[in-house]
Amino acid sequence: MLTGRSLLRSDDLSVEEIGLVLKNADLFMEVLERKVKKVPTLRGKTIANIFFEPSTRTRTSFELAAKRLSADVVNFAASTSSLKKGESIIDTIDTIISLKVNLLVIRHGHSGVLNFIAKHIKVPIINAGDGKNQHPTQALLDAYTIKKKFGTFSGLKVAIVGDFLNSRVARSNVELFSRVGMEVMIVAPPMLLPSDYTVLGVPVKTAIDQVIDHVDVVYMLRMQFERQKRKLYPSIEEYNRFLTLNSARLQKMKKGSVVLHPGPVNRGIEISEEVMDGAAAGNRILIPDQVTHGVAIRMALLYLILSQQEEA
Ligand code: CP
């Protein structure tokens, strides 16, 4: 169903296809729990990881996912490439494709660059995050983490809290979470919201205290300082007062509810040091699970896109 396809946005996948990815992730989680965490499924295929922006989780998990499936991986870092000598992005991508790669995983700092690249090439692309636009594999691994915890999406209330304005994760997650059946709300003050937020069609609250005691999932967004051209929030103290998940708020959370964050966490801003480190959080904080599940989700996508694909 996904053979040879690109994944640029969360809504490139139907609900049925999202279900297929999650089902396959379950199979690959089982592989990841084995002593030998490797299957020969993509032997002979080559995947290029092309990152124009820094990454820890996404880049390493795509690399590991490819290796667990026995594919070959080439890692391209923009900072040490011929881009520095003035080569254009399209010429760079064409050069990598000439090395006979089967799929490109691309992260870029500018929204929409991947759509531009996709129009010029025939090789499938997976979007590993483009500017403020989309991060579809994050949405898939987050949905998977929620499904593993609750067994269902139906009826779950999710609050997505923080810097919505600069977050590609928020855009992909609101879209995908709503479509699979979760009740999504945004918690952000006006200065952290884009002007077009109403098109998302979800309710907006301005402070975490308005939702903390009745949602099932508290999804803390990273404050994207690297994408803020100017300071968007008056002070860290103000942020802490209205948006930070601290110990007092943790105590108010609904029984069985959980906390997710895409990482990397700005400690003391989105989540307090004591919540990050403290035993008080118990098993509410699912951040390590998100990272683990990211490998299985990316294995599932690489498998579904490449396993049946004919060589060009
Ligand atoms: N969640 C996420 O995209 O993290 P990285 O920037 O470390 O890849």
Side-chain angles (χ1 to χ4, degrees), residues 30-200:
E30 188 267 314
V31 172
L32 295 174
E33 277 149 22
R34 289 182 198 162
K35 196 169 166 197
V36 178
K37 301 171 180 25
K38 201 163 177 131
V39 285
T41 319
L42 294 186
R43 206 158 46 194
K45 303 284 185 192
T46 305
I47 290 150
N49 268 335
I50 304 175
F51 279 64
F52 297 93
E53 248 197 358
S55 166
T56 298
R57 291 149 202 78
T58 313
R59 201 196 64 72
T60 50
S61 77
F62 265 114
E63 179 171 354
L64 209 50
K67 287 179 171 170
R68 301 289 193 221
L69 293 166
S70 303
D72 295 314
V73 185
V74 282
N75 285 312
F76 168 91
S79 58
T80 51
S81 75
S82 289
L83 285 164
K84 292 281 169 204
K85 295 188 261 180
E87 190 167 37
S88 73
I89 288 184
I90 288 294
D91 286 346
T92 301
I93 298 287
D94 279 342
T95 301
I96 292 168
I97 290 171
S98 300
L99 299 169
K100 301 286 180 202
V101 301
N102 300 97
L103 182 144
L104 307 177
V105 176
I106 307 181
R107 169 172 288 191
H108 199 283
H110 289 126
S111 305
V113 166
L114 272 72
N115 300 66
F116 170 71
I117 295 170
K119 286 199 175 83
H120 283 80
I121 63 170
K122 293 198 171 70
V123 173
I125 301 176
I126 299 181
N127 183 354
D130 64 324
K132 301 177 184 182
N133 188 32
Q134 285 279 318
H135 196 346
T137 62
Q138 183 71 44
L140 285 165
L141 74 90
D142 291 335
Y144 184 65
T145 302
I146 293 169
K147 186 81 181 284
K148 291 279 273 186
K149 180 71 188 176
F150 293 95
T152 181
F153 296 126
S154 150
L156 290 180
K157 288 188 169 64
V158 184
I160 301 185
V161 183
D163 182 6
F164 205 90
L165 180 65
N166 295 294
S167 177
R168 55 194 175 210
V169 172
R171 257 168 270 271
S172 290
N173 284 20
V174 168
E175 192 285 316
L176 190 145
F177 286 6
S178 303
R179 222 153 29 94
V180 297
M182 291 186 258
E183 191 183 318
V184 182
M185 58 203 85
I186 297 169
V187 180
M191 57 279 210
L192 294 180
L193 281 172
S195 55
D196 66 345
Y197 73 89
T198 51
V199 300
L200 297 166

Side-chain angles (χ1 to χ4, degrees), residues 3 39 73 93 112 118 138 152 179 207 224 235 248 252 255 260 269:
T3 302
V39 285
V73 185
I93 298 287
Q138 183 71 44
T152 181
R179 222 153 29 94
Q224 304 281 341
S235 66
K252 291 184 190 156
K255 190 165 183 280
L260 277 75
I269 301 181

